[in-house]
Amino acid sequence: MNYQQISELESIYNSGGVGRRPVALVRAKGARLWDSEGHEYIDCTAAHGWANVGHSHPKVTAAIQAQLETLVASPESSYNDQRAMWMHELAQILERSLNWSGCHIHPSNSGTEAIEAALKLARFLTGKSKIVATMRAFHGRTMGALSLTWNPKYREPFEPLVPGVQHVTYNNIKAMAEVLDNQTAAVVVEIVQGEGGVHAGTTDYFQALRRLCDERDALLIVDEIQTGVGRTGKWLACEHHHLSPDIIAMGKSIGGGLQMGVTAWQKKIGCFKSGHHGSTFGGNPLVCAASRAVMQVMAEENLVERAAYLGRWMLDELQALPDKKIREVRGLGLMIGVELKGKVTPILQTLVERGVWAMPAGLNVLRLLPPLVIEKSDLEQAVTIIKEVLE
Ligand code: PLP
């Protein structure tokens, strides 16, 4: 099918909820994408952040193929070998990265579901209902997660949302201390706000937040859905700040392209009771096999270190650009935001025409999240094109 046929057919049925670019992507490998007309693009989005190990990594594909022929879906109401090993392997990473001694893991199917489970858990374990989130935060689009998401454009058409949620200025401990009280069940934060414009919090902030949560008996939930799986140059972005949250939410790249959300928490805070929470497809053997392959590839190919090294290089290159069109270039690892003086949409369009696939964060930030496996030469080519477009 060509672009016209694909777009006309899809346009008859699509929900209207997601704006589309006038391109039909039909194939991907590593950090390269191809459209229906045969045009090739360098992927600087990791497909909204899910492809940290790249598209169709041979080890992930082989693991999926093998598991497809064995057992695809098997709900958590019985045990399963793939899920058991997946939980064990993921727990090793979480316990090391977050300084946890023991954890529980709830697998679901998306980032927003991982946040929903975190909210339910926090309410259940604390017996309290108030939640504090931050301005510019993005935590998903289902009713609970949407209540934590800040942008009024996403929230207002669907109000009333879950009551008891307050938003305070990000990276501002005074603002947090004013609203966080003994009625607060949990605080939810991102280590780097992605959708909100690629803004990173500081070590002082996160350390003070940890102390405040302890003092006021509130749980600390960190959303690592976009920042996790090596994206920021650490397996989990919490590691940059030696932060040990109570609960984390993961998604996107942890499933290697299959649908997976993860809510994990320290064993010492307790867990759900039978019947409280679950999911038909969550933690199915197919996605667990894919996720195990992701963790293996991350280690074998040193992708965490690679993200740190390539990210540093890319940030330096982009920060050296003249400031005619640019307000600020910021980022952590391979999560980079270029805040422009004008709108980002025309820049994105020109980049697509020049073969670079990038994404926005809000109206004026160019967000760059290349797969961590991207060849240095591809990244150099992408950076050269971005520079030319921005100059
Ligand atoms: N939290 C963060 C930080 C995200 O970036 C996203 C998605 O972009 C979500 C939550 C929601 O994840 P999903 O789209 O898988 O539901």
Side-chain angles (χ1 to χ4, degrees):
M1 287 168 89
N2 63 27
Y3 169 70
Q4 186 140 358
Q5 293 164 323
I6 297 170
S7 61
E8 279 178 10
L9 187 60
E10 209 175 303
S11 298
I12 299 171
Y13 304 107
N14 80 61
S15 71
V18 181
R20 281 163 168 74
R21 288 180 184 175
V23 177
L25 293 177
V26 293
R27 192 161 63 84
K29 183 84 189 151
R32 293 264 171 173
L33 310 169
W34 287 269
D35 72 14
S36 54
E37 317 306 292
H39 301 127
E40 192 170 339
Y41 305 91
I42 299 172
D43 182 8
C44 283
T45 70
H48 285 212
W50 73 249
N52 286 9
V53 299
H55 298 268
S56 301
H57 191 289
K59 288 210 166 144
V60 179
T61 305
I64 293 171
Q65 266 166 356
Q67 191 58 35
L68 258 181
E69 290 167 19
T70 312
L71 180 64
V72 172
S74 173
E76 276 196 276
S77 49
S78 56
Y79 291 94
N80 173 262
D81 54 347
Q82 284 298 335
R83 190 166 51 238
M85 290 184 285
W86 170 74
M87 283 179 166
H88 179 65
E89 288 157 13
L90 180 61
Q92 310 298 303
I93 294 172
L94 299 178
E95 289 169 12
R96 191 185 58 234
S97 298
L98 303 174
N99 196 21
W100 285 358
S101 55
C103 65
H104 291 288
I105 299 173
H106 161 68
S108 55
N109 313 282
S110 64
T112 196
E113 282 174 77
I115 292 287
E116 293 291 331
L119 284 181
K120 283 179 70 176
L121 184 74
R123 279 193 167 186
F124 171 63
L125 292 179
T126 63
K128 303 188 269 188
S129 61
K130 194 174 139 181
I131 306 281
V132 184
T134 60
M135 288 172 184
R136 291 192 311 239
F138 185 85
H139 296 292
R141 298 171 190 270
T142 51
M143 291 307 247
L146 186 60
S147 310
L148 306 176
T149 290
W150 177 73
N151 193 334
K153 179 179 89 176
Y154 298 142
R155 299 159 49 84
E156 279 172 3
F158 307 102
E159 288 174 346
L161 300 173
V162 173
V165 178
Q166 272 180 284
H167 288 91
V168 297
T169 309
Y170 181 69
N171 203 33
N172 181 329
I173 200 67
K174 258 182 83 185
M176 184 62 81
E178 275 166 25
V179 300
L180 210 172
D181 58 22
N182 291 334
Q183 300 309 308
T184 308
V187 173
V188 186
V189 283
E190 295 155 88
I191 301 294
V192 184
Q193 294 184 315
E195 179 78 19
V198 192
H199 293 277
T202 59
T203 299
D204 282 353
Y205 174 67
F206 291 117
Q207 288 295 331
L209 183 58
R210 175 68 275 180
R211 286 195 297 275
L212 201 59
C213 286
D214 289 341
E215 275 164 32
R216 312 220 172 146
D217 219 7
L219 295 171
L220 177 57
I221 303 174
V222 172
D223 179 339
E224 290 256 14
I225 290 162
Q226 193 169 140
T227 52
V229 197
R231 168 57 56 198
T232 67
K234 300 276 185 195
W235 228 101
L236 292 165
C238 282
E239 292 172 59
H240 290 285
H241 310 295
H242 309 289
L243 180 65
S244 184
D246 298 297
I247 304 174
I248 67 158
M250 299 179 72
K252 295 191 187 277
S253 283
I254 192 65
L258 299 191
Q259 298 79 353
M260 177 176 259
V262 176
T263 312
W265 59 97
Q266 302 209 47
K267 212 172 194 94
K268 68 176 187 196
I269 66 171
C271 67
F272 284 123
K273 287 197 176 355
S274 178
H276 275 168
H277 202 63
S279 158
T280 300
F281 285 117
N284 68 70
L286 187 67
V287 71
C288 287
S291 182
R292 292 184 67 208
V294 167
M295 292 187 271
Q296 195 189 338
V297 169
M298 290 292 299
E300 283 174 0
E301 300 185 15
N302 295 318
L303 293 182
V304 174
E305 294 77 8
R306 191 173 168 76
Y309 154 71
L310 290 178
R312 187 69 255 164
W313 175 83
M314 195 178 189
L315 196 64
D316 286 348
E317 289 289 314
L318 294 174
Q319 280 178 337
L321 275 169
D323 58 3
K324 208 170 97 209
K325 289 190 183 159
I326 298 173
R327 190 162 285 137
E328 190 184 32
V329 181
R330 50 182 179 257
L332 195 60
L334 269 180
M335 182 167 183
I336 293 177
V338 182
E339 186 171 331
L340 305 172
K341 290 183 176 164
K343 292 221 162 100
V344 69
T345 317
I347 301 287
L348 287 170
Q349 183 53 35
T350 312
L351 286 174
V352 167
E353 284 158 20
R354 300 278 314 267
V356 173
W357 196 260
M359 68 197 288
L363 292 177
N364 64 345
V365 177
L366 174 67
R367 183 167 25 157
L368 302 162
L369 309 169
L372 314 184
V373 293
I374 191 167
E375 295 292 340
K376 179 82 188 296
S377 54
D378 277 359
L379 199 61
E380 281 166 357
Q381 195 182 332
V383 166
T384 302
I385 294 169
I386 293 167
K387 280 180 170 177
E388 284 169 10
V389 170
L390 289 177
E391 272 169 1

